[in-house]
Amino acid sequence: MNRKFGPKGWTPERLGALAGRTYVITGANGGAGFEATRVLLSRGAGVVMMNRSAEKSNAAIATLKQAFGADADVTFVRMDLAVLASVRDAAAELLDKAPRIDALICNAAIAQVARQEITVDGFESQLGVNHFGHFLLAGLLFDRVAASQGRIVVVGSNAYRMGLKTIQFDDLNFDRNYTAWNSYAQSKLAQMMFAYELQRRVEAAGSNVTVQVCHPGASRTNLLNDTASTFNKIVWSLISPIIAQSAEKGSWPEVLCATEKEVESGTLYGPTRRADTVGPVDACPLDACALDRHMAARLWTVSEQKTSLSWTP
């Protein structure tokens, strides 16, 4: 593939001043979301973190203010993506707090949930958190993003191309044959399908919202800590120092998608070496399953039904 950003790929060195801009990041009190927050604050931006844990968020804010000064513009809105009522309340609070949203970065995720868990709204937990929660949040914040001529960034995963590579509309919750891997892969494919469908819809409508998709590659984050089986946690703890990159580098694709002027439609940005797990950040090969328009349109309709949100970008 042609590399737009040269042999070193995209790095935060390309960033200019971001003073006056506001970025909203889900799952930002640790891992790639925290590192993205750090990068954006370093350029003078304001960041609103949307996280489940108030305790962890306050600790993260204290760390960031220690690094960037007491006046660093970083705040927190509590939100549990697994509970649609919480997403609605958080969106309302955010709209009161943030007069502009230059980018909504849908970064939060859960992964490799060892045994099937169902959210209070009746969704398999990974699909509920990773896709339905973000679908609802993006829909509720869309008009504010549009008024800001802003962006929606969806953080996917290479897992989208490693599972069943389809959405199981007849068994979304994997009631018949749950596996941690296939359910996670479906949730990430759903996220990415949604993003590309939203991209197509905003372009057809002539909207000034930009939609971009990225993945962090293999990064040393705490993604598996709360949900994966003990075996998978042990395996990851042993191999991640060898095969994975830092959480900071894992954050670069989402910062690129939120800020870079030269981004393209129908593109997946992320690390480009070793099966797209590490290395320079640029455009990556994209499996056709993520661009299946028929399946994406059906997923959009189902998502509207499941979240009780009628959304026309």
Side-chain angles (χ1 to χ4, degrees):
M1 295 184 66
N2 292 329
R3 300 299 183 203
K4 175 170 291 201
F5 301 113
K8 292 184 178 180
W10 190 94
T11 74
E13 293 175 0
R14 290 179 62 91
L15 288 172
L18 298 175
R21 299 187 186 182
T22 300
Y23 297 90
V24 177
I25 308 179
T26 66
N29 56 23
F34 178 81
E35 296 299 336
T37 301
R38 186 193 295 275
V39 172
L40 294 167
L41 289 174
S42 74
R43 298 303 195 274
V47 177
V48 182
M49 303 190 299
M50 302 189 81
N51 306 319
R52 184 175 55 179
S53 169
E55 181 181 0
K56 291 179 180 178
S57 298
N58 289 329
I61 289 173
T63 299
L64 292 165
K65 285 182 177 287
Q66 191 171 29
F68 298 107
D71 294 332
D73 186 5
V74 54
T75 56
F76 157 64
V77 171
R78 187 186 179 281
M79 179 184 67
D80 186 348
L81 282 164
V83 181
L84 294 184
S86 175
V87 175
R88 291 181 184 278
D89 290 345
E93 181 180 343
L94 179 69
L95 290 172
D96 285 339
K97 283 186 172 183
R100 64 179 296 131
I101 300 174
D102 290 276
L104 166 64
I105 303 177
C106 300
N107 166 82
I110 59 174
Q112 303 292 330
V113 176
R115 293 179 179 83
Q116 185 198 46
E117 297 179 11
I118 303 297
T119 71
V120 296
D121 300 292
F123 311 136
E124 186 277 316
S125 60
Q126 292 165 109
L127 188 64
V129 169
N130 300 347
H131 172 59
F132 287 129
H134 278 127
F135 178 91
L136 178 60
L137 180 66
L140 294 172
L141 299 182
F142 184 82
D143 287 347
R144 182 64 50 84
V145 175
S148 310
Q149 298 185 41
R151 299 185 178 193
I152 294 175
V153 178
V154 172
V155 181
S157 165
N158 281 330
Y160 84 98
R161 67 187 186 200
M162 301 174 192
L164 302 178
K165 299 174 73 167
T166 189
I167 305 298
Q168 288 198 151
F169 291 107
D170 62 339
D171 188 17
L172 283 172
N173 288 345
F174 283 84
D175 291 327
R176 291 196 292 268
N177 187 25
Y178 180 85
T179 70
W181 180 253
N182 283 340
S183 53
Y184 174 61
Q186 175 181 255
S187 75
K188 301 310 287 188
L189 175 60
Q191 276 192 283
M192 292 170 63
M193 274 191 171
F194 150 64
Y196 291 120
E197 177 68 9
L198 177 59
Q199 193 175 72
R200 289 187 288 267
R201 291 184 182 216
V202 298
E203 289 174 359
S207 171
N208 53 14
V209 174
T210 300
V211 184
Q212 291 296 319
V213 189
C214 63
H215 75 91
S219 303
R220 292 189 291 275
T221 70
N222 58 3
L223 181 61
L224 301 182
N225 284 358
D226 296 330
T227 55
S229 67
T230 300
F231 175 78
N232 282 344
K233 289 178 186 176
I234 292 172
V235 170
W236 180 245
S237 69
L238 293 173
I239 67 172
S240 61
I242 302 169
I243 69 166
Q245 61 189 1
S246 66
E248 178 188 5
K249 287 186 177 178
S251 75
W252 291 358
E254 61 193 74
V255 178
L256 178 165
C257 287
T259 62
E260 176 63 42
K261 292 180 181 178
E262 300 177 14
V263 287
E264 298 178 355
S265 298
T267 302
L268 176 63
Y269 291 99
T272 55
R273 289 184 184 156
R274 227 188 295 159
D276 301 335
T277 58
V278 296
V281 173
D282 214 311
C284 300
L286 181 59
D287 193 292
C289 66
L291 298 173
D292 186 318
R293 294 188 177 214
H294 174 75
M295 194 176 299
R298 186 177 178 187
L299 175 64
W300 187 284
T301 299
V302 168
S303 300
E304 286 187 324
Q305 294 168 348
K306 297 290 188 182
T307 60
S308 299
L309 176 74
S310 181
W311 180 14
T312 303

